[in-house]
Amino acid sequence: MVTLDEVLGSGLLQKPSGDAPEALQRQITNYKPLHTFKLEKTRPYQQQYADIYFLRLTKIRPAVEAAASAAWEGTVLGGEKVKRVERVLDVRQGELCWVAGTVYMDMPLKPSILEDVSKDRWISAPTSVGHYYSGNGEDSVMLEDDSGRIRLVGNALQNHFMVTGCIVAVMGTENANGEFEVIDLLFAELPPQPERWSLSKGKKEADSSEDVEMMDASFSGHPRKPSSKKIALVSGLEFSNADTSYAMELNLLLEYLLGEALDPSIQRDELSHITRLIIAGNSISTTAAEQAKPAAAFDTTTVTNKFQPQNKKYGYDSSSYNPVPSQLLDSFLSELLPTMPVTLLPGALDPANASYPQQPIHPAMFPQSRTYMPPPKAGAGKDRDVPGEEEPGWFDNVTNPWEGEIEGWRVLGTGGQNLDDVFKYVESEDRLGMMEAMCRWRCVAPTAPDTLWSYPFQEDEPFVIKECPHLFFVGCQPEFGTKVIHGPDGQAVRLIAVPSFSETREVVLVDTETLDVERVKIVAE
């Protein structure tokens, strides 16, 4: 990890040379966003959510069954040959078999929509329970399909992350209690991975002929070759007028990206190679000034005054709206955009729809920065399956999750809600392991719509990962983490947990040739 102070070194105060300063030009990244998670502007919500699970099972089960058939075909245990059953209800007691289906976690601490409706909480915000996992033995794992549901038991379940919505094949037998004793289980594994530059048809043959192996810089053992291009990842900026404890670091971050605070040689060798900034969620803080005060600092007259107007339950309340956080973000972006393109993903705290997939933040929130967005086109954005519907602007205001191609690499990223919700299901702190599990489940948001609010899709399930990304990042995480995972067919995926800047003051830089990763810590001393 490199701190900003180390980058600055002693080069801040230099005697100006007699020659005119060299005019530096920031390099341009080949960038093609996909519209996988773009929804139509008019979308109904009357349909049922069960269709999402049926679509997901239909898409992923063939891959799961193929993996299970290859692994368990001809397997003999205790003199009995394992056989496949088509449906969950076809499982027979004492018969060794395997079956594929959708996992459902029955947990008492999980939020219940029926309970919310009965207690008139059905319009409230999503629950913020720290963990659904109880650890007292009351949690149970179910396997279901369109025929029914059966409870899973066995020590094999303890070796894997299990959450609602993931598709799995289990081998075992039904016991006398009507439970399925699991001996082994398998997932779909990583989907097929496209070649580099698969979307960039017009790229020169010479550029696509180089096949660069992804190596972890910490273990490569070779001197690191300077990259021609880098992308910067940051999340959790949380602009607010209530919490000013890291306002100096935000200013330093802006100066660092602009190159205004650095030595000319560092500008030439390092910062001119940062070709794009990706902001992965939570750019605005919703913390009010009153909430930031300690309890003893509240004025008792405001607490006990029963005639004080309360916040409105419905609609717009001008007395509680605070425009300052969005103005600060807009000012930050407007200063940065003239020199660097920006991709902005919304997060849980941002002014976007709460349900997955979150749609882009409305351009009206960026009166200064929206001039760098592409002009709206009539009929654009109606077909989510057509990549490259329009040329992206210098300021690309995108969905969460988001998928695209950067310098030929397929990239998938989210603002963090999917990983935070999976974290609540398991008794583990291994967030990189959960990211790996999502890739091997082939689902970027497995817990939607059970505990992660989502749109009720009926014709397609966009959360299914159809093509394996080369880079998968998740924003707004408590700490930085990265590793490379591999698939059975040679797939390689760089996983990055992007830390929240408001908590860690860290920025992540990714080399666009090797996908090596480094951290830069912004410290104001």
Side-chain angles (χ1 to χ4, degrees):
M1 182 176 65
V2 182
T3 66
L4 184 59
D5 290 340
E6 294 174 352
V7 175
L8 294 176
S10 60
L12 274 175
L13 301 177
Q14 284 191 347
K15 181 179 179 180
S17 61
D19 301 331
E22 179 184 358
L24 297 179
Q25 185 175 2
R26 197 183 296 272
Q27 300 187 42
I28 302 299
T29 302
N30 188 282
Y31 175 80
K32 287 185 176 294
L34 297 175
H35 301 273
T36 310
F37 304 98
K38 193 70 176 293
L39 300 177
E40 295 183 4
K41 291 184 178 181
T42 56
R43 44 188 181 270
Y45 285 85
Q46 292 84 6
Q47 59 267 37
Q48 295 293 319
Y49 283 89
D51 291 332
I52 298 181
Y53 292 112
F54 294 141
L55 289 168
R56 187 179 302 169
L57 184 61
T58 302
K59 286 177 174 289
I60 302 180
R61 180 161 58 182
V64 174
E65 290 179 341
S69 179
W72 297 332
E73 185 176 3
T75 301
V76 178
L77 294 176
E80 183 179 0
K81 185 177 180 180
V82 64
K83 69 175 185 177
R84 174 195 174 190
V85 295
E86 294 288 341
R87 306 182 306 161
V88 167
L89 289 188
D90 293 336
V91 173
R92 297 292 179 262
Q93 182 176 335
E95 188 176 89
L96 185 63
C97 63
W98 66 268
V99 63
T102 304
V103 172
Y104 174 76
M105 304 295 293
D106 187 9
M107 296 176 160
L109 296 182
K110 272 201 323 180
S112 170
I113 184 61
L114 297 179
E115 181 181 354
D116 290 343
V117 170
S118 65
K119 295 182 179 180
D120 195 24
R121 297 202 308 256
W122 61 280
I123 59 171
S124 61
T127 181
S128 57
V129 180
H131 265 96
Y132 307 141
Y133 179 83
S134 61
N136 55 10
E138 297 183 2
D139 303 330
S140 58
V141 185
M142 306 286 186
L143 187 72
E144 64 180 12
D145 58 13
D146 53 357
S147 67
R149 178 184 294 178
I150 189 172
R151 182 177 181 180
L152 304 180
V153 295
N155 294 330
L157 300 176
Q158 309 301 321
N159 301 327
H160 303 273
F161 291 123
M162 302 288 283
V163 302
T164 294
C166 64
I167 312 300
V168 61
V170 293
M171 179 181 68
T173 183
E174 184 180 357
N175 59 25
N177 297 325
E179 302 167 333
F180 193 85
E181 291 274 357
V182 178
I183 300 175
D184 194 11
L185 59 87
L186 290 172
F187 302 109
E189 275 297 337
L190 300 182
Q193 190 171 53
E195 296 182 357
R196 190 180 178 187
W197 303 111
S198 61
L199 295 180
S200 303
K201 303 299 183 182
K203 193 67 179 171
K204 291 182 179 180
E205 195 71 26
D207 294 337
S208 60
S209 62
E210 297 182 5
D211 186 15
V212 182
E213 180 184 0
M214 289 189 299
M215 298 182 297
D216 194 327
S218 302
F219 302 98
S220 62
H222 301 286
R224 190 172 177 277
K225 181 182 178 180
S227 169
S228 58
K229 298 176 183 179
K230 296 179 184 177
I231 56 175
L233 297 173
V234 69
S235 67
L237 296 177
E238 297 191 22
F239 282 95
S240 170
N241 65 330
D243 185 5
T244 59
S245 60
Y246 58 97
M248 181 64 72
E249 283 84 355
L250 286 171
N251 290 332
L252 287 175
L253 172 63
L254 179 61
E255 293 180 0
Y256 171 72
L257 294 173
L258 292 174
E260 294 177 351
L262 299 180
D263 179 274
S265 62
I266 299 178
Q267 294 182 24
R268 180 181 62 253
D269 299 335
E270 295 290 338
L271 292 187
S272 62
H273 298 296
I274 301 179
T275 58
R276 177 171 291 270
L277 173 66
I278 299 179
I279 304 177
N282 288 359
S283 302
I284 295 176
S285 174
T286 57
T287 304
E290 290 78 8
Q291 295 174 343
K293 297 179 182 178
F298 280 101
D299 186 357
T300 56
T301 58
T302 61
V303 177
T304 59
N305 185 3
K306 62 181 179 180
F307 298 104
Q308 182 180 2
Q310 302 297 317
N311 291 336
K312 294 174 63 177
K313 190 174 184 180
Y314 304 100
Y316 170 72
D317 185 1
S318 59
S319 64
S320 62
Y321 174 65
N322 182 10
V324 175
S326 60
Q327 291 173 355
L328 293 174
L329 173 61
D330 185 34
S331 177
F332 177 88
L333 294 174
S334 63
E335 290 190 53
L336 186 61
L337 281 167
T339 66
M340 177 187 296
V342 176
T343 300
L344 176 64
L345 281 71
L349 302 180
D350 294 323
N353 58 302
S355 59
Y356 244 42
Q358 286 185 292
Q359 298 305 287
I361 301 175
H362 198 280
M365 303 298 294
F366 309 103
Q368 302 179 67
S369 306
R370 65 186 177 189
T371 57
Y372 295 90
M373 296 181 180
K377 295 182 179 180
K382 291 184 177 180
D383 188 353
R384 292 183 292 103
D385 296 326
V386 179
E389 296 167 352
E390 61 182 23
E391 286 296 323
W394 203 251
F395 179 23
D396 197 15
N397 191 16
V398 299
T399 61
N400 171 30
W402 171 81
E403 188 179 19
E405 184 186 87
I406 302 178
E407 282 300 298
W409 303 112
R410 188 66 60 87
V411 180
L412 176 64
T414 76
Q417 297 100 309
N418 58 334
L419 182 55
D420 291 341
D421 200 57
V422 168
F423 173 77
K424 298 177 182 180
Y425 279 82
V426 298
E427 190 181 18
S428 173
E429 301 291 333
D430 183 12
R431 293 186 177 244
L432 285 176
M434 300 172 202
M435 292 176 62
E436 177 180 356
M438 283 189 282
C439 292
R440 300 193 187 279
W441 295 334
R442 299 192 183 186
C443 189
V444 71
T447 59
D450 184 32
T451 52
L452 181 64
W453 286 13
S454 73
Y455 177 74
F457 294 97
Q458 282 196 310
E459 299 179 357
D460 189 22
E461 216 287 52
F463 301 132
V464 173
I465 303 176
K466 303 177 183 64
E467 293 183 314
C468 184
H470 300 99
L471 172 64
F472 178 35
F473 67 86
V474 176
C476 305
Q477 297 307 297
E479 62 181 7
F480 167 80
T482 184
K483 72 175 182 179
V484 177
I485 62 173
H486 299 275
D489 299 323
Q491 305 97 319
V493 186
R494 165 69 72 175
L495 307 179
I496 303 177
V498 184
S500 177
F501 184 84
S502 61
E503 300 294 334
T504 64
R505 318 295 195 260
E506 291 177 351
V507 185
V508 179
L509 301 180
V510 182
D511 190 304
T512 59
E513 283 301 322
T514 64
L515 296 187
D516 285 344
V517 178
E518 61 178 309
R519 280 183 293 172
V520 174
K521 191 174 184 67
I522 309 295
V523 179
E525 295 181 351

